[in-house]
Amino acid sequence: MKVLITGSNGQVGSCLVKQLQSCPEIEFLAVDRDELDITSKQEVINTVNNFMPNIIINAAAHTAVDKAENEVELSYAINRDGPEYLAQAAEHVGAAILHISTDYVFAGDKDGSYSESDTVNPQGVYGESKLSGEKAVINACSRHIILRTAWVFGEDGNNFVKTMLHLAQQRNSLGIVADQFGGPTYAGDIAAALIKIAKLITDSKNTFNANNYGIYHFSGMPHVSWCEFAQVIFDKAVEQKVLVKSPDVKGIKTEEYPTPAKRPANSKLNTNKITIVFNTPASDWQSALNHLSDYA
């Protein structure tokens, strides 16, 4: 199996590289923006035609949600055009594309968790550009997996866990949003899920059912608020002696912490489909916090 990874320096991309290094049966080419500008159609064509992958995993994205409100052109170039070029190139060489998307494609106002068939209604540029990317990939490549996820964190890159640990060393009390809910998702679990799917697709026994291409949700359980997530981080950090003591955590409302882009109040994703089809359980985000010294 030959795998092309884009966005290799990001949270998920770096985990993909680490995990694939222990898979000798898989040849992979990992590229970030310096090695491949996915917004250049010709660069994408050249890279894919030269490497001839069986699988393309697109972990590249413009994920700066607030900046996206002003960087509209850039957001669509990276989140829509790049995925489209990768999907077109995949189709041309007979490869499958595994593309990471987001909970932001939903309005976030539903009661209960979102399933793959629920109506999409993004509320900002980031969500709109990511939804456009989903549609572009689906239209360009018949062999596609769209993996929607949420609240991603890991040892590499910037994320909520690192921010909380940093703030906890500076302040005695913190106000954390308590009326937005979702499933924190460990980047390493996303990478493992993608590799598992890639192996099933390229299985020499050809047991993969083509009807299983499509959209899947993958995120963490149990669902919590940002405030509850932060408290677990602090409790575990104290247990592991990463922090001397936990700051006092006060739950605040979304309107008390205004941001340029609107956040979904409900980012809960139903992961039953991926569990059934690919035997992949939801991300165990609490276990992923058992080695917080790696995040500090």
Side-chain angles (χ1 to χ4, degrees):
M1 177 166 60
K2 296 179 72 175
V3 180
L4 172 65
I5 302 164
T6 60
S8 62
N9 290 340
Q11 292 194 91
V12 177
S14 58
C15 289
L16 282 164
V17 171
K18 286 175 193 170
Q19 292 180 28
L20 285 174
Q21 283 170 343
S22 60
C23 298
E25 76 280 11
I26 298 175
E27 180 184 350
F28 69 92
L29 173 63
V31 293
D32 207 76
R33 68 189 73 177
D34 293 338
E35 294 90 21
L36 173 61
D37 175 7
I38 65 167
T39 68
S40 165
K41 186 173 184 177
Q42 195 56 54
E43 279 193 42
V44 169
I45 290 170
N46 293 344
T47 299
V48 172
N49 285 349
N50 288 336
F51 184 62
M52 292 297 289
N54 308 103
I55 301 283
I56 296 175
I57 302 179
N58 181 35
H62 186 268
T63 57
V65 176
D66 290 324
K67 284 184 178 179
E69 292 300 306
N70 293 317
E71 298 176 345
V72 179
E73 234 175 87
L74 181 64
S75 297
Y76 276 91
I78 298 172
N79 293 339
R80 177 196 61 197
D81 301 344
E84 180 175 31
Y85 301 151
L86 288 165
Q88 288 172 343
E91 183 76 6
H92 180 70
V93 299
I97 183 166
L98 279 51
H99 173 69
I100 301 171
S101 193
T102 175
D103 57 298
Y104 275 72
V105 300
F106 297 113
D109 56 1
K110 180 187 175 180
D111 291 328
S113 58
Y114 280 97
S115 65
E116 290 82 356
S117 58
D118 279 330
T119 302
V120 289
N121 183 19
Q123 300 295 296
V125 172
Y126 171 64
E128 289 167 356
S129 64
K130 289 295 289 182
L131 179 59
S132 295
E134 286 188 10
K135 292 175 179 176
V137 168
I138 290 166
N139 289 334
C141 184
S142 55
R143 305 173 72 211
H144 62 265
I145 298 285
I146 309 289
L147 196 75
R148 292 178 183 150
T149 190
W151 293 23
V152 180
F153 69 93
E155 297 88 349
D156 299 295
N158 298 316
N159 54 66
F160 185 76
V161 175
K162 288 189 174 184
T163 299
M164 289 300 104
L165 292 174
H166 179 68
L167 290 175
Q169 292 170 333
Q170 299 177 326
R171 303 183 194 175
N172 293 320
S173 63
L174 290 168
I176 311 290
V177 173
D179 57 357
Q180 295 174 19
F181 297 87
T185 314
Y186 176 50
D189 289 341
I190 300 172
L194 289 167
I195 292 169
K196 184 174 188 176
I197 293 169
K199 286 179 176 179
L200 288 169
I201 289 173
T202 56
D203 182 6
S204 59
K205 297 176 184 132
N206 285 323
T207 55
F208 184 81
N209 187 333
N211 293 328
N212 289 335
Y213 287 114
I215 299 173
Y216 291 84
H217 288 174
F218 180 79
S219 67
M221 291 289 285
H223 294 136
V224 287
S225 68
W226 287 113
C227 184
E228 290 167 328
F229 185 22
Q231 191 61 68
V232 174
I233 294 166
F234 297 143
D235 290 345
K236 283 183 172 279
V238 171
E239 283 173 22
Q240 297 167 42
K241 296 183 169 51
V242 172
L243 291 176
V244 176
K245 66 182 181 66
S246 171
D248 292 327
V249 178
K250 176 195 171 191
I252 63 173
K253 294 183 178 179
T254 297
E255 57 259 33
E256 295 177 70
Y257 187 73
T259 55
K262 183 181 178 183
R263 264 68 175 169
N266 176 12
S267 289
K268 299 174 186 176
L269 298 179
N270 185 315
T271 61
N272 288 343
K273 183 181 175 185
I274 196 169
T275 300
I276 294 166
V277 175
F278 293 117
N279 192 26
T280 300
S283 174
D284 183 356
W285 61 268
Q286 290 170 311
S287 291
L289 297 175
N290 287 339
H291 304 281
L292 283 172
S293 58
D294 296 337
Y295 297 78

